Amino acid sequence: MKKKSIKDIAHELDLSKTTVSFVLNKKGDEKNISKKTQKKILDYVKKVNYQPNQIAKSLKQGQTNTIGYLVPDISNPFFAKIGRLLEDHFWEKGYHLLIGSTDENTDKEAQLLNMFVNRQVDALIVASCFIQSDSIKSLLAINFPLVFFDREDPDVTANYILVENKISMKNAVEKAIELNSKKLGLITLTPDVYSLKNRIEGYKMALENKKIAFDEQLIRIVDNNDIQKGTEKELKTLIESGVDAVVFTNNQIAVIAIWLMNTYYKDKVNNIRFVSFDNVDQFDYSLPKVISVAQPIDKIAKYSTEIIEDILNSKKSKNKRIELMPKLIERN
Amino acid sequence: MKKKSIKDIAHELDLSKTTVSFVLNKKGDEKNISKKTQKKILDYVKKVNYQPNQIAKSLKQGQTNTIGYLVPDISNPFFAKIGRLLEDHFWEKGYHLLIGSTDENTDKEAQLLNMFVNRQVDALIVASCFIQSDSIKSLLAINFPLVFFDREDPDVTANYILVENKISMKNAVEKAIELNSKKLGLITLTPDVYSLKNRIEGYKMALENKKIAFDEQLIRIVDNNDIQKGTEKELKTLIESGVDAVVFTNNQIAVIAIWLMNTYYKDKVNNIRFVSFDNVDQFDYSLPKVISVAQPIDKIAKYSTEIIEDILNSKKSKNKRIELMPKLIERN
DNA sequence: ATGAAAGCGCTAACAG
DNA sequence: CTGTTAGCGCTTTCAT
């Protein structure tokens, strides 16, 4: 029993493809197809469990009802949760998510971008690691429906959903200092994206405000290629240099560090304070205690969806830049 | 500057679509296209940055290079991680993942299943909440490339990647008893899937082996529709009835319960032991201490990929059932 | 060494 | 009220 097409159905019912197509698309009344014919078609379709071929429809209509969701790592809870929210928002509109993880790799990102565009996704939502890439430039040039989130390149005008990084990080770090931290290290992924740079700026700003001397040695950079090992090494360095607080620029390394602390430095978990950008549920009961900056993921998803829908409906992009305020979670 | 098609290119180069298509598909030599023509085409294509339309190709070839990944919740770390591994495995083959979350809702699952099939996904990997559904039955009937994981229906013959549930849970619970737990409650999502039933069986079996009287009242069921609230309620019931251990049939409710304990029953976190099917990283340092059953997610992803590729290459399904042994993580 | 033409399954303007 | 037909962009057989 091979798959039936509209043609088969039309043939078997002694009707034309057009009539069948109209009825299936609920244009039966509008197109003045007789009730009788409509019923005949609908009944038959149900009986043989006809399934329309979306690919053919997509080709014809130049629209796939698919959104590409491109992030560094879909299994990172931050991206996974946003993905889930996007899926929910798009569900009622009949859009689905095609996912891709770039591993913070510029080449892979470019490849995925191209593949997704070839697959004719209707829009892209991406946390890019290289907004200046040629692929992205040419997408922007043709006004491809595109929204960036989590990462920004101030030199590139586009749609962005971002959170405020600098002040938020400053506030979090100041909070730690107020709670008595005196020597604060920082661990970050390679800060070649703007948001990380700003978070580091915020850290520096807090030190300055609170009259704590800034020490370049206390800023530790973890290479994107082996995050686990890198975090382990840098955390060790900081602990041996006697810090009483460690600031992390994203959840991924913070989570790894919490694990490391509980595994190798159990005796210190009560004497060190953590500060992390991005919140994850387990911070609520983790040791070391974590002051975190929670990004409003529901808003990020909501605005992304809205902008995309706006573009898709109006066919023109306005290059909105939305900056959301994250929430400081203290846990003192 | 609108999108160029093969036709445009052929036209602009004074060649036929055929020739261009051959060259683009690296069949230039095989088809005896002159080097000169080949170079002309390749150069031009690069210059105008031509991007082939995968949808048209898919329609023609009846193959989309897309795999549908259907799970209860893509933001659950267990499913997110497997998703990531699948993505990696399929990456080199040029396959991408279309994702869908069913929320354990039978209707939504059926809808998603249909939509994905309409979209002509080449195969489906699904953690189904209702394997006996009509949609699934008809897919199996036409031998659609399909592998189930995490959930099984013994009455339905199909490809399954599973883990052993009963003995593994028994071992975990016995371990808790050996570590001195005497009154063990259990919290589970509605056990209408076979794997959950088996995990509950394992719990009962352990009690029996260890001569602990079974008390129906200590088995608490959380409704799928409001998991957070449900877990809160059932955990309260158990704690008030004086249990010294709580067994969870999956990670989702265990993670919620850990949060609840640390938020509302902080004084008890050292006096209660948790046992959970599914492992998550934070169990390594969570209180209450958790004995967990870790599913081999890398193997789950690997075997799923292999079976799918097998089917896709050979065009025949063998209905393999693979049962993997999970790993007990003790943390005493 | 290259081209014409059919066809994948669907939609929709136009015809009758 | 229903059918004919062209065409979305691509592959591929067959012809030249």
Side-chain angles (χ1 to χ4, degrees):
Chain A
M1 180 178 79
K2 70 179 280 287
K3 282 276 198 81
K4 285 206 188 315
S5 72
I6 280 202
K7 193 170 133 194
D8 299 325
I9 296 186
H11 186 73
E12 285 156 29
L13 254 37
D14 254 317
L15 290 164
S16 78
K17 290 195 300 174
T18 314
T19 309
V20 178
S21 173
F22 281 155
V23 172
L24 291 181
N25 290 303
K26 309 188 186 316
K27 292 186 184 158
D29 292 333
E30 179 188 331
K31 299 290 180 180
N32 289 320
I33 313 289
S34 70
K35 287 287 173 212
K36 206 174 111 204
T37 308
Q38 291 202 42
K39 184 162 175 357
K40 186 160 82 172
I41 295 174
L42 262 12
D43 286 351
Y44 188 76
V45 152
K46 191 162 294 165
K47 191 180 119 208
V48 302
N49 189 29
Y50 163 77
Q51 303 288 73
N53 182 329
Q54 273 294 339
I55 293 295
K57 190 181 263 191
S58 293
L59 176 60
K60 175 73 198 179
Q61 313 204 127
Q63 195 199 315
T64 56
N65 282 10
T66 305
I67 311 286
Y69 181 57
L70 214 50
V71 294
D73 178 8
I74 187 66
S75 70
N76 176 322
F78 175 68
F79 295 119
K81 278 190 187 159
I82 292 182
R84 179 59 158 87
L85 292 170
L86 289 174
E87 194 201 326
D88 289 347
H89 280 126
F90 281 123
W91 163 250
E92 36 205 82
K93 315 280 177 184
Y95 284 88
H96 292 281
L97 248 45
L98 197 63
I99 60 165
S101 301
T102 66
D103 277 322
E104 307 280 3
N105 177 325
T106 313
D107 290 340
K108 198 175 174 196
E109 179 174 309
Q111 283 187 57
L112 277 164
L113 234 23
N114 278 330
M115 294 174 122
F116 280 15
V117 172
N118 293 170
R119 280 157 175 273
Q120 313 295 116
V121 296
D122 293 335
L124 281 163
I125 297 177
V126 12
S128 170
C129 54
F130 188 36
I131 298 184
Q132 302 232 7
S133 73
D134 289 341
S135 319
I136 289 182
K137 273 190 206 144
S138 53
L139 288 179
L140 291 171
I142 61 171
N143 250 288
F144 190 94
L146 177 56
V147 5
F148 295 110
F149 74 104
D150 194 52
R151 315 289 180 84
E152 175 183 27
D153 187 321
D155 294 334
V156 178
T157 308
N159 291 299
Y160 290 104
I161 312 287
L162 302 162
V163 297
E164 198 292 320
N165 287 293
K166 204 184 294 189
I167 307 296
S168 313
M169 183 57 118
K170 176 186 82 67
N171 290 341
V173 174
E174 282 183 353
K175 188 74 206 173
I177 297 171
E178 284 158 18
L179 290 171
N180 249 329
S181 298
K182 307 222 177 307
K183 184 168 183 181
L184 304 91
L186 178 146
I187 303 185
T188 181
L189 291 181
T190 320
D192 45 14
V193 294
Y194 203 70
S195 57
L196 292 187
K197 283 189 188 122
N198 272 329
R199 290 172 197 178
I200 298 174
E201 275 312 305
Y203 158 84
K204 289 183 184 171
M205 214 188 262
L207 295 190
E208 195 176 320
N209 273 0
K210 294 291 186 179
K211 319 278 184 221
I212 295 186
F214 168 63
D215 177 356
E216 188 72 49
Q217 290 307 311
L218 294 184
I219 293 201
R220 315 299 310 176
I221 294 175
V222 169
D223 189 89
N224 293 342
N225 289 324
D226 194 348
I227 297 177
Q228 176 78 34
K229 278 265 183 310
T231 307
E232 192 163 339
K233 176 162 152 276
E234 302 307 340
L235 182 66
K236 184 156 181 280
T237 309
L238 285 182
I239 286 188
E240 286 171 356
S241 75
V243 300
D244 58 6
V246 183
V247 177
F248 301 90
T249 56
N250 80 348
N251 72 15
Q252 188 182 11
I253 41 181
V255 166
I256 294 175
I258 288 177
W259 186 87
L260 290 166
M261 289 297 298
N262 283 276
T263 308
Y264 301 123
Y265 310 104
K266 191 75 186 176
D267 53 314
K268 295 205 167 57
V269 293
N270 282 301
N271 311 322
I272 279 194
R273 182 173 296 278
F274 276 6
V275 176
S276 173
F277 215 96
D278 292 351
N279 186 55
V280 297
D281 296 339
Q282 75 225 49
F283 287 167
D284 281 342
Y285 51 84
S286 296
L287 289 179
K289 283 189 180 166
V290 187
I291 294 174
S292 64
V293 178
Q295 301 203 40
I297 53 174
D298 40 0
K299 282 189 193 156
I300 295 177
K302 185 165 142 275
Y303 285 120
S304 307
T305 319
E306 279 179 16
I307 292 190
I308 297 280
E309 284 178 352
D310 252 30
I311 304 179
L312 257 25
N313 292 334
S314 70
K315 284 293 158 213
K316 61 181 168 194
S317 171
K318 282 161 252 168
N319 288 329
K320 279 194 192 171
R321 181 182 184 284
I322 297 180
E323 188 171 272
L324 303 165
M325 277 310 287
K327 194 171 136 218
L328 181 65
I329 305 188
E330 306 195 358
R331 303 193 189 88
N332 43 19
Chain B
M1 181 177 79
K2 69 179 279 288
K3 280 279 197 77
K4 286 207 188 313
S5 72
I6 279 201
K7 192 168 135 194
D8 300 325
I9 296 185
H11 187 73
E12 284 155 29
L13 254 35
D14 255 318
L15 290 165
S16 77
K17 291 193 301 174
T18 316
T19 309
V20 178
S21 173
F22 282 155
V23 172
L24 290 181
N25 290 302
K26 307 186 185 321
K27 292 189 184 158
D29 292 334
E30 179 190 330
K31 299 290 181 181
N32 289 320
I33 312 290
S34 71
K35 287 287 173 212
K36 205 176 109 201
T37 308
Q38 290 202 40
K39 184 162 173 359
K40 186 161 82 172
I41 294 173
L42 262 10
D43 286 350
Y44 188 75
V45 152
K46 191 163 295 168
K47 191 181 119 207
V48 301
N49 188 28
Y50 164 75
Q51 302 287 73
N53 182 327
Q54 273 294 340
I55 293 295
K57 191 180 265 191
S58 292
L59 176 60
K60 177 72 199 179
Q61 312 201 130
Q63 195 199 315
T64 55
N65 284 352
T66 305
I67 311 286
Y69 181 56
L70 212 52
V71 295
D73 179 8
I74 188 66
S75 71
N76 176 322
F78 175 67
F79 295 119
K81 279 189 184 158
I82 291 182
R84 181 57 158 88
L85 292 169
L86 289 173
E87 193 199 329
D88 289 346
H89 280 127
F90 281 123
W91 164 249
E92 36 204 82
K93 315 281 176 184
Y95 284 87
H96 292 282
L97 247 44
L98 196 64
I99 59 165
S101 300
T102 65
D103 277 322
E104 308 280 5
N105 177 326
T106 313
D107 290 339
K108 197 173 175 199
E109 178 174 308
Q111 282 187 59
L112 277 164
L113 234 23
N114 278 330
M115 295 175 123
F116 280 15
V117 171
N118 292 170
R119 278 156 177 274
Q120 313 296 116
V121 297
D122 294 334
L124 281 163
I125 297 177
V126 12
S128 168
C129 57
F130 187 36
I131 300 186
Q132 301 233 7
S133 73
D134 288 341
S135 319
I136 290 183
K137 273 191 205 145
S138 54
L139 287 179
L140 291 171
I142 61 171
N143 250 288
F144 191 93
L146 178 55
V147 6
F148 294 109
F149 75 104
D150 194 53
R151 316 289 181 83
E152 175 183 29
D153 187 321
D155 294 335
V156 178
T157 308
N159 291 298
Y160 290 104
I161 313 287
L162 302 163
V163 295
E164 198 291 321
N165 287 293
K166 205 184 296 188
I167 308 297
S168 313
M169 184 56 119
K170 177 186 80 71
N171 290 341
V173 175
E174 284 183 353
K175 188 74 206 171
I177 297 173
E178 284 158 18
L179 290 171
N180 248 329
S181 298
K182 307 223 177 304
K183 183 166 183 181
L184 305 91
L186 179 147
I187 304 185
T188 182
L189 292 180
T190 319
D192 45 16
V193 295
Y194 203 70
S195 57
L196 292 187
K197 284 190 189 120
N198 271 329
R199 291 172 196 176
I200 297 174
E201 275 311 304
Y203 157 84
K204 289 184 185 170
M205 214 189 262
L207 295 191
E208 194 176 322
N209 274 0
K210 296 290 186 179
K211 319 277 185 224
I212 296 185
F214 168 65
D215 177 356
E216 189 72 48
Q217 290 307 310
L218 295 183
I219 293 200
R220 315 299 310 177
I221 294 175
V222 169
D223 188 89
N224 294 341
N225 289 324
D226 194 348
I227 298 177
Q228 176 79 34
K229 278 267 182 310
T231 307
E232 193 164 338
K233 176 162 153 275
E234 302 307 340
L235 181 66
K236 183 156 182 279
T237 309
L238 285 182
I239 287 189
E240 285 173 355
S241 75
V243 299
D244 57 7
V246 183
V247 177
F248 300 91
T249 56
N250 80 347
N251 72 15
Q252 188 181 11
I253 40 179
V255 167
I256 295 175
I258 288 177
W259 186 88
L260 291 167
M261 289 298 297
N262 283 276
T263 308
Y264 301 123
Y265 310 103
K266 191 76 185 174
D267 53 312
K268 294 206 167 59
V269 290
N270 281 300
N271 310 323
I272 278 196
R273 182 174 293 281
F274 275 7
V275 176
S276 173
F277 214 95
D278 292 351
N279 187 54
V280 298
D281 296 339
Q282 75 225 49
F283 286 168
D284 281 344
Y285 51 83
S286 295
L287 286 178
K289 285 192 178 165
V290 186
I291 294 174
S292 65
V293 178
Q295 301 203 39
I297 54 174
D298 41 1
K299 282 189 192 157
I300 294 177
K302 185 164 143 276
Y303 285 120
S304 306
T305 320
E306 280 180 15
I307 293 190
I308 297 281
E309 285 179 352
D310 252 32
I311 303 179
L312 257 25
N313 293 333
S314 69
K315 285 293 158 211
K316 62 181 170 198
S317 172
K318 281 163 252 168
N319 288 330
K320 279 192 189 172
R321 181 182 185 284
I322 297 180
E323 188 171 271
L324 303 165
M325 276 310 286
K327 193 169 134 219
L328 183 63
I329 304 187
E330 305 195 356
R331 303 194 190 85
N332 45 18

